[in-house]
Amino acid sequence: MSESLDIIILTFNEERNIEACLQSAAQLKANIFVVDSGSADQTIAICQKYTSNIFHHPFENYALQRNWALGNLPLTGSWVLNLDADHRVTPELAAQLNGIFSEKVAPEINGFLISRRTMFINKWIRHGGHYPTYHANLFRRGFGMCEEKLYDQHFKVTGKTQVLKTDIIDVITDSLTSFINRHNHWATLEAQYQVEQQNAPALDDKGQLVHPRLFGNPMERRRYLKKRYEAFPLFVRPVIYFIIRYFFKLGFLDGTTGLVFHFLQGFWFRFLIDAKIYELRKEAKKQ
């Protein structure tokens, strides 16, 4: 007896990205659901070529949008795959998932961890500890939810997960201007979150977030390392992180494009977060 699969894709003015995403998703034997948050371009028209399951919901933040979709769409599949418009299902992943779901999945498995293959200015970033990077995009319906964080959210799965060896392609930018604007926005959210965590450090204990564990699954291990990173002093930690990532983890092997990516994403972005934390702390002292 086979398993059934639903795919949820979030959109907002994604006419440049969405068709390639939908074409890749069509390789899977699945029902495709699109949740749009007010696109004013050709996004909806493109989606209508691939699915009639198009729903509209105002966007507050990524986590709330994801969890609204999981709780309110008329899903019928026993499994849910969560994609963004800039994701691409590789042929290898599609073949593997079609094979897995052609039979019953072991009942103790409630989720699959899939690595993202980051594409930056048409180059696959293979080094600097950036690949493989696993996410729990795929889980049994009712056994997964998105962390309620403003930035760097992961899907949290209840029960055992299994690591897959095939990838989702993540096309993270169409231009440096877009990359910088998005990361400036995300730096603001991450700075706010870290400052708030200083006053509410017990949030992890409520079970809302992926638990940081050094010897856990790849997501739990990465969350543990992030917590260790956050314990270092502001402005020192991005320097140390970039040195480790670019030199010790061989980020330099990604060439000139890799230098741009690792510097912007591995140093500038994190330095900007620290600067915004510094600014928030100074403003708090004035009150």
Side-chain angles (χ1 to χ4, degrees), residues 9 17-27 30-34 42-54:
I9 304 173
N17 279 313
I18 191 59
E19 186 139 32
C21 175
L22 289 165
Q23 287 175 347
S24 73
Q27 301 173 92
N31 294 315
I32 298 175
F33 293 81
V34 172
Q42 294 300 306
T43 297
I44 298 301
I46 296 170
C47 291
Q48 288 172 337
K49 296 191 295 183
Y50 294 86
T51 180
S52 60
N53 298 315
I54 300 173

Side-chain angles (χ1 to χ4, degrees), residues 3-187:
E3 304 269 11
S4 53
L5 175 66
D6 290 330
I7 299 173
I8 300 174
I9 304 173
L10 303 186
T11 59
F12 175 69
N13 289 340
E14 290 286 358
E15 63 182 7
R16 291 186 178 184
N17 279 313
I18 191 59
E19 186 139 32
C21 175
L22 289 165
Q23 287 175 347
S24 73
Q27 301 173 92
L28 293 163
K29 299 172 183 176
N31 294 315
I32 298 175
F33 293 81
V34 172
V35 178
D36 187 77
S37 51
S39 293
D41 60 4
Q42 294 300 306
T43 297
I44 298 301
I46 296 170
C47 291
Q48 288 172 337
K49 296 191 295 183
Y50 294 86
T51 180
S52 60
N53 298 315
I54 300 173
F55 298 81
H56 304 271
H57 188 258
F59 187 89
E60 294 182 62
N61 61 56
Y62 184 87
L64 290 178
Q65 193 78 337
R66 278 291 177 201
N67 289 330
W68 180 89
L70 290 168
N72 291 276
L73 294 181
L75 305 175
T76 58
S78 49
W79 291 81
V80 182
L81 174 63
N82 298 273
L83 298 177
D84 294 333
D86 52 8
H87 289 167
R88 314 286 182 260
V89 177
T90 61
E92 296 80 10
L93 175 60
Q96 184 174 25
L97 292 183
N98 285 334
I100 289 173
F101 294 135
S102 67
E103 303 175 350
K104 289 292 290 184
V105 178
E108 68 272 14
I109 301 296
N110 284 338
F112 292 97
L113 303 184
I114 306 171
S115 180
R116 290 186 186 172
R117 187 188 301 176
T118 297
M119 299 297 295
F120 178 78
I121 314 180
N122 298 318
K123 181 178 179 61
W124 178 8
I125 304 298
R126 296 171 179 254
H127 304 286
H130 207 71
Y131 179 84
T133 303
Y134 291 97
H135 296 265
N137 299 63
L138 176 59
F139 45 78
R140 287 188 193 272
R141 183 156 58 94
F143 287 86
M145 51 85 71
C146 187
E147 294 180 300
E148 294 181 3
K149 292 183 64 182
L150 294 177
Y151 170 71
D152 193 30
Q153 310 91 343
H154 292 291
F155 289 101
K156 181 177 174 61
V157 176
T158 302
K160 188 176 180 180
T161 58
Q162 181 177 317
V163 174
L164 299 181
K165 298 301 183 183
T166 49
D167 305 332
I168 288 174
I169 294 173
D170 186 5
V171 183
I172 65 170
T173 188
D174 56 358
S175 70
L176 286 177
T177 299
S178 174
F179 181 91
I180 290 170
N181 289 339
R182 290 167 66 186
H183 280 73
N184 179 48
H185 173 65
W186 292 337

